[in-house]
Amino acid sequence: MRTHTEILRDFESIAGPIGPHAEVLREYADKLQEWDEFFAKAFYDRLFSYDPTASIFRDGERTEREETLKIWYRKVVSGEYDDTFWEWQFRRVGLVHVARGIPNEFMLAAMAFVQNVFLMKVKDEFPPDEAARIYLAFKHVTDAIATIIAAGYMYTYLEAVSESTGMSLKLIERHAKLVAQREYADGKSE
Amino acid sequence: MDSLKALLEDLIHRTPEVYGVILVTTDGFPVSYAFRGSVDQAEIDKQAAVIASLASLARRSTESMDLGSPEEILITAEMGRMFVYRLEDIAALGVVTAKDVTAGFVLLRIRQMLPVLMEEFKNTLNPGG
C-alpha cells in the first residue's frame, strides 16, 4: 500500500508545491479562522438538505459534526500542516468514510462545495487581488486534502477486503486489471 | 518452466480423469498449466487469479476457525470437480477433474506430485539454489 507521504509527493509534483500556498493562508489565518461557524453551518445545511447525504448521519449528530468541521476548517486555513495532519486525513478520514459508507464522490462533491463557499466569502471580504490569492491557496490545499482522502478511502477499502478474505493487495489488483482489460477490449471491439 | 510443464502434463497423461491443471502464484499469475485440448490464454489468466483467491479465502477461513492452513479444497460442480492446493506461501495449484472421478486415486497422484512440483518451482525462482 502506498503511504500518505508518497501520495502527497505525487500531488506536489503534479499540481505544485503546497508550501507557498500554506504561507498565504498563514498570513490571513486570523481572519479566515473567524469564518468557522459560517462554514460549518453552510456545509451541514447543504448535506442535510439532500437525502442521500443526510441519511449518513444519526439523529442529533449535527452539533457534534459541526464542531469537528470547525476544528478541521480552522486547521486548514491556519496554513500549519505537519505529518500528523496529512496522516490523519489519509488514515482516519478514510476509515471513517468506509465505516460509514461515505463514497468518494460525496467527499469530492462536498469539497467542491466548500471551495465554492470559500470563494464567495473571500470575494465579499477582500479586494479582488487578495481574494484571488487567498482562494487559490485554499483551493490548492483542499485539493491536496481531497486527493489524500480519496486515496485513503480506496486503500482502506482494499485493505479491508484483503484483511477479510486473505487475498493480498496484489491479488486484488490482479483481478481488477484482468476485468478492466477485458472490458476495455470488449468496448474497443463494439 | 519446461520442467514444471512436464510435471503437469505427466499428471494429465497418467490420470485420464484430470482435465487440466494450473500452477499459479499467490498474487494470481499463471506459472504453468496443462489442459486436454486448447484453452484461451485470457481464461487461464482469469482462472489463475480465481485459484489464488480460493486458496487465500480458504486459508483465511480455516485459520479463523483455528484449523491451521488448508491442505486441500474440493469443489464439486455439476459437471466436474476442482481441487485447489496452497503450496506454502508462494503458489497454488488448481486441478480440474471429471465428476465421477475416484477421488482417492486422483488425490494420491496429485499429492505425490506436489512436493516435486514445489521443489521445481522453487528452483525456477532461485535457479542458483
Side-chain angles (χ1 to χ4, degrees):
Chain A
M1 191 181 90
R2 305 191 72 216
T3 65
H4 67 282
T5 312
E6 291 170 324
I7 293 160
L8 205 54
R9 187 186 58 216
D10 288 345
F11 177 86
E12 291 195 286
S13 299
I14 296 166
I18 290 166
H21 294 291
E23 201 174 310
V24 173
L25 292 175
R26 279 199 295 276
E27 191 182 332
Y28 294 93
D30 289 346
K31 174 73 176 168
L32 301 177
Q33 286 181 331
E34 290 172 7
W35 302 346
D36 58 350
E37 292 263 0
F38 164 81
F39 254 90
K41 183 176 184 315
F43 186 78
Y44 284 106
D45 279 353
R46 176 57 61 100
L47 294 195
F48 277 94
S49 69
Y50 180 53
D51 286 344
T53 45
S55 66
I56 289 166
F57 302 103
R58 297 184 294 269
D59 287 345
E61 193 187 357
R62 176 163 176 163
T63 308
E64 187 189 336
R65 293 277 64 82
E66 284 193 9
E67 286 308 310
T68 304
L69 185 75
K70 280 195 258 178
I71 293 167
W72 177 85
Y73 170 79
R74 286 198 296 268
K75 181 67 186 170
V76 171
V77 296
S78 74
E80 303 282 357
Y81 318 117
D82 55 15
D83 192 60
T84 308
F85 172 78
W86 295 111
E87 190 180 11
W88 179 271
Q89 307 301 318
F90 183 66
R91 296 299 301 174
R92 189 67 194 171
V93 179
L95 278 174
V96 168
H97 282 195
V98 171
R100 302 194 68 162
I102 305 166
N104 268 338
E105 56 267 33
F106 282 6
M107 180 276 295
L108 291 166
M111 194 66 88
F113 175 74
V114 165
Q115 291 173 340
N116 289 343
V117 170
F118 188 89
L119 175 61
M120 295 302 122
K121 186 73 174 166
V122 87
K123 275 173 66 183
D124 286 346
E125 302 276 345
F126 287 95
D129 284 356
E130 269 184 292
R133 205 166 143 249
I134 298 165
Y135 173 70
L136 283 176
F138 182 79
K139 184 178 183 307
H140 195 79
V141 170
T142 48
D143 282 346
I145 292 169
T147 302
I148 289 271
I149 294 175
Y153 177 92
M154 186 182 75
Y155 287 119
T156 302
Y157 201 102
L158 290 173
E159 278 200 331
V161 174
S162 177
E163 167 64 25
S164 176
T165 63
M167 291 163 60
S168 66
L169 292 178
K170 281 186 175 175
L171 177 54
I172 295 169
E173 183 183 329
R174 176 73 177 149
H175 277 288
K177 275 189 179 173
L178 284 171
V179 171
Q181 284 167 356
R182 190 183 66 232
E183 292 196 356
Y184 179 69
D186 288 350
K188 277 208 303 192
S189 63
E190 278 172 9
Chain B
M1 292 295 172
D2 285 351
S3 56
L4 289 171
K5 194 163 183 71
L7 279 169
L8 303 182
E9 284 177 344
D10 182 59
L11 177 71
I12 287 188
H13 180 69
R14 293 193 299 128
T15 325
E17 299 92 337
V18 173
Y19 294 159
V21 55
I22 315 178
L23 178 67
V24 307
T25 61
T26 47
D27 50 4
F29 287 86
V31 176
S32 189
Y33 60 89
F35 270 82
R36 295 183 192 283
S38 63
V39 181
D40 181 45
Q41 182 61 43
E43 188 56 36
I44 292 292
D45 288 343
K46 193 165 70 181
Q47 278 301 326
V50 173
I51 287 164
S53 303
L54 286 167
S56 300
L57 285 161
R59 184 180 183 186
R60 175 61 84 240
S61 182
T62 57
E63 288 185 348
S64 300
M65 302 290 282
D66 293 329
L67 295 174
S69 291
E71 294 176 356
E72 192 170 82
I73 306 161
L74 166 61
I75 300 167
T76 302
E78 287 177 75
M79 299 170 72
R81 286 179 172 169
M82 179 179 261
F83 299 85
V84 175
Y85 299 84
R86 189 178 172 99
L87 306 177
E88 298 180 14
D89 280 334
I90 56 174
L93 183 76
V95 182
V96 183
T97 73
K99 189 171 186 180
D100 58 350
V101 64
T102 308
F105 177 68
V106 174
L107 289 178
L108 179 67
R109 284 268 167 83
I110 296 169
R111 285 171 185 166
Q112 283 173 339
M113 182 190 69
L114 290 179
V116 184
L117 188 69
M118 198 61 217
E119 192 65 26
E120 278 302 323
F121 184 44
K122 283 180 177 171
N123 287 340
T124 63
L125 294 177
N126 187 16

